[in-house]
Amino acid sequence: MLSLSVTSPSSSTLSFLPKPLQLKSSFNGIRLRQPSTCTIPATKRTALVPVMMAKREEQLKEIRTKTNEQINEEVVKLQGDLLVLRLQKSARKEFKPSDFRKMRKTIARLLTVKREREIEEGIGKRLSRKLDKKWKRSIVVKPPTPPVSLLKLLRKEEDDEEAAED
């Protein structure tokens, strides 16, 4: 009998037996259908606990403390930032590609919490879509304005160029 096992000092082990293959074939020779066994020690099983959820759950707790108006404002702000990132990408300026994913996921989390609250209030899917359309039509995504000092610097450079041309 063919078997694969890993011995360990622990008393409990897991064994995995694959199901025998049910192949229909015209081959009339000898077929070996013996289950192979693979065992994993108990100490290895306990080390496979996922720990990746901490940041997301912290972020969700923070989002749930906000009101719907604050959530809407933050969604608009993040969509504006996303627009700026797209513009930077098209202009071939420096940007972090990972920011796209982070912003999209944050927007999705915000909208998910908003929808959870609508479900708690008893708002149906159809009415929710209507409210979303009205809200989306009312907003205008604007890129963030540069600081005043930067605007003054740009105007000064333009004035210097005009003076040099004259």
Side-chain angles (χ1 to χ4, degrees), residues 82-96:
L82 205 56
L83 175 68
V84 169
L85 269 180
R86 284 192 203 110
L87 292 174
Q88 286 179 348
K89 182 179 178 183
S90 65
R92 298 180 185 243
K93 293 185 179 177
E94 290 185 19
F95 67 96
K96 287 185 181 177

Side-chain angles (χ1 to χ4, degrees), residues 85-144:
L85 269 180
R86 284 192 203 110
L87 292 174
Q88 286 179 348
K89 182 179 178 183
S90 65
R92 298 180 185 243
K93 293 185 179 177
E94 290 185 19
F95 67 96
K96 287 185 181 177
S98 62
D99 287 346
F100 282 106
R101 183 176 179 178
K102 287 178 187 175
M103 285 185 197
R104 284 196 311 263
K105 285 192 175 255
T106 306
I107 290 170
R109 286 188 185 114
L110 289 165
L111 294 176
T112 301
V113 170
K114 184 179 169 189
R115 179 65 185 135
E116 286 174 354
R117 290 181 183 168
E118 288 175 353
I119 291 171
E120 288 175 2
E121 294 172 6
I123 296 175
K125 189 175 182 178
R126 184 174 283 179
L127 180 60
S128 174
R129 301 285 189 238
K130 280 186 178 180
L131 294 173
D132 279 348
K133 283 183 182 178
K134 286 182 183 177
W135 175 70
K136 286 179 182 177
R137 286 181 189 149
S138 68
I139 61 172
V140 177
V141 178
K142 298 177 184 176

Side-chain angles (χ1 to χ4, degrees), residues 5-163:
S5 63
V6 178
T7 58
S8 68
S10 66
S11 61
S12 66
T13 58
L14 285 178
S15 62
F16 299 101
L17 298 172
K19 294 180 181 178
L21 298 174
Q22 301 294 330
L23 300 174
K24 293 184 179 180
S25 170
S26 61
F27 179 70
N28 293 327
I30 300 171
R31 292 187 184 173
L32 299 174
R33 291 196 185 176
Q34 297 170 347
S36 60
T37 307
C38 178
T39 58
I40 299 174
T43 56
K44 296 286 183 180
R45 281 183 284 150
T46 56
L48 300 175
V49 177
V51 187
M52 294 180 55
M53 298 289 220
K55 285 185 182 178
R56 186 177 78 187
E57 289 186 9
E58 280 181 22
Q59 191 176 19
L60 283 174
K61 284 180 184 177
E62 181 183 321
I63 291 171
R64 286 194 171 100
T65 60
K66 297 179 181 181
T67 64
N68 282 344
E69 292 78 25
Q70 290 173 333
I71 288 175
N72 289 340
E73 289 172 8
E74 193 164 344
V75 166
V76 171
K77 180 182 155 280
L78 285 172
Q79 286 176 342
D81 292 345
L82 205 56
L83 175 68
V84 169
L85 269 180
R86 284 192 203 110
L87 292 174
Q88 286 179 348
K89 182 179 178 183
S90 65
R92 298 180 185 243
K93 293 185 179 177
E94 290 185 19
F95 67 96
K96 287 185 181 177
S98 62
D99 287 346
F100 282 106
R101 183 176 179 178
K102 287 178 187 175
M103 285 185 197
R104 284 196 311 263
K105 285 192 175 255
T106 306
I107 290 170
R109 286 188 185 114
L110 289 165
L111 294 176
T112 301
V113 170
K114 184 179 169 189
R115 179 65 185 135
E116 286 174 354
R117 290 181 183 168
E118 288 175 353
I119 291 171
E120 288 175 2
E121 294 172 6
I123 296 175
K125 189 175 182 178
R126 184 174 283 179
L127 180 60
S128 174
R129 301 285 189 238
K130 280 186 178 180
L131 294 173
D132 279 348
K133 283 183 182 178
K134 286 182 183 177
W135 175 70
K136 286 179 182 177
R137 286 181 189 149
S138 68
I139 61 172
V140 177
V141 178
K142 298 177 184 176
T145 58
V148 178
S149 60
L150 183 61
L151 286 174
K152 288 180 181 177
L153 181 66
L154 290 173
R155 287 182 186 149
K156 184 179 178 184
E157 287 177 2
E158 288 174 359
D159 293 338
D160 291 341
E161 289 176 4
E162 289 176 7

